[in-house]
Amino acid sequence: MTPTRTGTGPPASRARAAAAALDQALDRALGDPAESARRTARLDEAEEFPAELCAALDTFGLPAHYVPTRHGGALDDHEELLYLWRTVARRDLSATVAHAKTYLGAVCVWIAGSPEQTRATAAAVLDGTPVAWALTEPDHGADLLNNELTATAHPDGYRLDGTKWPINNATRAGLLTLLARTGPAGSPRGHSLLVVDKATLAPGTWRHLPKAHTHGIRGIDISGIGFDGATLPRQALLGPEGTGVETVLRGLQLTRTMCAALSLGAGEHGLRLAARFTATRVIQKRPLAERPHPASILARCAALLAATEAAALLAARSIHSLTGELGVTAATVKALAPTLVDSVLGELAELLGARSFLTDVPEYGGFQKVARDHQIVAVFDGSTPVNRAALVQQFPALVRGHATGAADTAGLAEAAAAGRPPGPLEYDALTLASRRGSSVVQSLPALAAALRTRPTPSGLAEHAVALSGLTELLHTRMAALRPAARPPMAAHELAAAYELCFAGAACLHLWTAGEHDHAGEPLWADGLWARAALRAVSERLAALLRTPAPAPAPGDGDLDGTLARVITDAATTGAPVTPFGAPAPRAGEAA
């Protein structure tokens, strides 16, 4: 089943309602969140697959959200999918990684598949069949152009020879989207995609490779598959021969963007655990949360998580409204989200002290597990260096776009309208590089200037202007960088800085679009989350650019204490801990 749709409703209602329905379904299936946490910890220790949780997700109807509505599924809004994955990830990141792989495995079929392939794949996914994306090989990793597994053409189809490893769900999946060499090694047109139904392969022509033992996500199926003369029919070819890498790169723009949901769930889980600890840990008759240093750490972590959420949310909605810019957006958000959340989890671990390493407290080792599990997110679907290298190659277009202020204002307005149904995704609009640059960042100077001309919460306009100034400095340095096939380390640092500019701009766009829709919500009062996020992003950006941090803005003196109180109250009551987040069930009560 899938959640009932109730029309457009008020802003954010549909996505939040879907996430709440999933939370309730998980509570019914798995019981109290505390008991669920115990079970998850036991499975992790035993390196056992989270089969019960994945079955509950199937029963809820989550696989339908991996299939576009045009093919009979429920996927017409990537903001909704972002919320759903985040809801699962804040319970167990391992299960999310295991279950969500089907979306990643099937996405190339939606992009390049024939009508017969899309019908068959959609039917399999809706029936609960896991799909894997078989890209990487033992000796090549992200270097897809030099993969060695071959698909040799013969009169009736293709013969497969070679190995794919490590692959998520290689053993459990019924279908694989497989990248194979069909032409010269190293050639951009030397590889093709094929859809492999393991049930149709002749015995003895293929084999599963053993599960790999991992530091985090211990229970999921990270294994491999080998082929020795396995044959496929010609209709297994996905798209024209030689277009495999191009289709993969277009698909990665969607999957890299959506990987941010994993970081949002992990960050929220860690923040709630640490905030509850600081609220209840009393030293010398005073809770940690009331002390200046712990409060500043908690506030900074909450602010960076809010900035991550803003970037992820705007990017997920950009899939529909700024599709042609995903070459920039996806690489930016995929590098940004795990980097910021790893930083957040590291700071929260200092608040927890020794408890961050223990497996039985606090809350049954939840923190040490989420910290371990999240470390892999930076590697998925192209590592952080891979994504930053892709961003560096687009610097010339970004510099030109910033100089002219080029922006798709209609598409940007739709992307910032969080909670409202987006337009349909046109897969043909996916391009390998953004010709316009990034509307999100390039519209920042005009937005910052506009905020100075109207009433805003104390300090918000000042933070916006400071961010705009740092963004100007960044683009000056980007313009001075000479194009190179192998960019220097300084270029990667500028890419990291650009990610922060995107996050800060996303905060401003979403706050401006949503300030009147969230009246009465504590995180929105007096622009609290936006001011804190902009300050945290600008301080981090200035450090990367090796320039002095912006001067304090009006109201900054009370920012940490106020935000820390809001976050500890929310973590205690189950209220949202991020500006666009959903409530979370507390241990001992139903959702």
Side-chain angles (χ1 to χ4, degrees):
M1 61 156 254
T2 56
T4 302
R5 298 284 173 83
T6 57
T8 57
S13 63
R14 190 175 107 170
R16 286 184 175 181
L22 177 54
D23 243 340
Q24 292 166 5
L26 292 177
D27 280 342
R28 288 193 296 271
L30 304 176
D32 179 84
E35 176 54 37
S36 176
R38 293 188 191 95
R39 188 183 300 113
T40 296
R42 288 196 297 268
L43 292 174
D44 181 67
E45 186 175 357
E47 298 188 31
E48 185 176 339
F49 189 82
E52 186 178 8
L53 180 49
C54 287
L57 299 177
D58 286 343
T59 300
F60 170 79
L62 190 55
H65 292 271
Y66 304 159
V67 180
T69 52
R70 70 187 71 175
H71 302 311
L75 178 59
D76 62 356
D77 183 350
H78 281 78
E79 179 186 351
E80 188 171 29
L81 183 58
L82 187 83
Y83 271 88
L84 290 169
W85 277 354
R86 174 186 183 157
T87 294
V88 187
R90 70 186 187 183
R91 280 178 174 261
D92 183 14
L93 195 58
S94 295
T96 320
V97 170
H99 200 276
K101 188 63 181 183
T102 292
Y103 169 85
L104 278 62
V107 74
C108 286
V109 179
W110 315 143
I111 293 172
S114 67
E116 294 76 13
Q117 288 170 326
T118 54
R119 280 196 297 269
T121 303
V125 173
L126 293 172
D127 193 44
T129 300
V131 184
W133 207 4
L135 301 181
T136 55
E137 297 182 6
D139 296 329
H140 303 291
D143 186 10
L144 300 182
L145 292 181
N146 284 305
N147 276 353
E148 297 179 33
L149 185 146
T150 58
T152 305
H154 59 77
D156 297 323
Y158 294 90
R159 170 187 167 126
L160 299 180
D161 293 281
T163 298
K164 290 292 182 180
W165 179 95
I167 305 297
N168 184 7
N169 279 348
T171 300
R172 298 180 68 87
L175 298 179
L176 304 170
T177 305
L178 177 79
L179 184 67
R181 184 154 59 85
T182 53
S187 167
R189 294 291 181 180
H191 289 78
S192 303
L193 281 170
L194 301 104
V195 179
V196 180
D197 183 346
K198 291 196 292 188
T200 67
L201 300 178
T205 64
W206 65 285
R207 67 195 185 283
H208 290 136
L209 304 181
K211 168 181 163 55
H213 298 284
T214 53
H215 175 65
I217 56 171
R218 289 174 176 171
I220 74 170
D221 173 22
I222 301 293
S223 55
I225 187 168
F227 300 95
D228 185 11
T231 58
L232 298 176
R234 185 160 291 276
Q235 56 267 33
L237 182 67
L238 185 60
E241 191 169 293
T243 62
V245 171
E246 178 181 342
T247 302
V248 165
L249 292 176
R250 291 165 67 200
L252 283 170
Q253 291 179 6
L254 303 177
T255 64
R256 284 171 173 170
T257 301
M258 297 308 296
C259 277
L262 306 176
S263 293
L264 293 181
E268 179 182 342
H269 188 181
L271 182 61
R272 287 185 182 277
L273 290 174
R276 284 198 292 266
F277 172 75
T278 60
T280 56
R281 179 66 167 174
V282 177
I283 297 178
Q284 295 179 348
K285 300 181 180 180
R286 193 179 178 191
L288 277 180
E290 295 180 7
R291 296 175 178 272
H293 183 62
S296 68
I297 293 176
L298 197 62
R300 181 167 55 251
C301 289
L304 289 174
L305 186 58
T308 306
E309 179 184 58
L313 177 55
L314 200 66
R317 293 186 58 83
S318 294
I319 288 175
H320 299 266
S321 65
L322 295 170
T323 313
E325 298 183 12
L326 286 179
V328 169
T329 304
T332 298
V333 172
K334 177 58 179 66
L336 171 84
T339 298
L340 289 189
V341 170
D342 274 340
S343 174
V344 164
L345 292 173
E347 287 210 70
L348 294 176
E350 293 185 13
L351 281 182
L352 290 168
R355 287 167 175 77
S356 67
F357 293 93
L358 302 180
T359 58
D360 53 352
V361 290
E363 301 194 25
Y364 312 104
F367 190 90
Q368 59 84 29
K369 181 181 184 304
V370 75
R372 281 189 291 105
D373 288 349
H374 185 259
Q375 290 177 17
I376 193 61
V377 178
V379 179
F380 283 150
D381 290 35
S383 65
T384 300
V386 167
N387 281 285
R388 286 179 177 162
L391 189 58
V392 169
Q393 297 303 323
Q394 299 180 79
F395 275 5
L398 296 175
V399 170
R400 288 194 302 271
H402 180 76
T404 62
D408 179 349
T409 54
L412 182 57
E414 183 178 334
R420 294 174 175 85
L425 165 59
E426 300 298 338
Y427 289 94
D428 289 344
L430 293 166
T431 58
L432 298 186
S434 173
R435 297 182 182 91
R436 185 171 43 236
S438 171
S439 295
V440 175
V441 176
Q442 288 153 204
S443 58
L444 173 60
L447 179 56
L451 288 175
R452 298 196 72 174
T453 66
R454 67 179 184 86
T456 56
S458 179
L460 181 65
E462 288 83 354
H463 282 301
V465 170
L467 176 65
S468 182
L470 289 168
T471 302
E472 184 68 34
L473 173 62
L474 168 63
H475 282 82
T476 300
R477 295 186 182 179
M478 289 165 57
L481 190 72
R482 290 186 176 183
R486 296 180 179 178
M489 184 61 198
H492 283 252
E493 291 182 345
L494 294 179
Y498 190 88
E499 296 156 19
L500 293 168
C501 292
F502 184 96
C507 291
L508 280 173
H509 287 298
L510 287 167
W511 181 84
T512 303
E515 59 176 315
H516 300 300
D517 298 327
H518 297 269
E521 297 182 24
L523 283 167
W524 287 77
D526 297 321
L528 178 61
W529 78 265
R531 291 160 52 212
L534 289 172
R535 184 185 65 170
V537 164
S538 293
E539 288 176 349
R540 196 176 179 100
L541 176 56
L544 264 177
L545 295 176
R546 297 176 179 83
T547 193
D556 279 4
D558 298 327
L559 204 51
D560 286 349
T562 302
L563 183 55
R565 284 192 296 273
V566 170
I567 294 301
T568 52
D569 288 347
T572 303
T573 63
V577 293
T578 58
F580 296 94
R586 293 179 294 171
E589 75 174 23

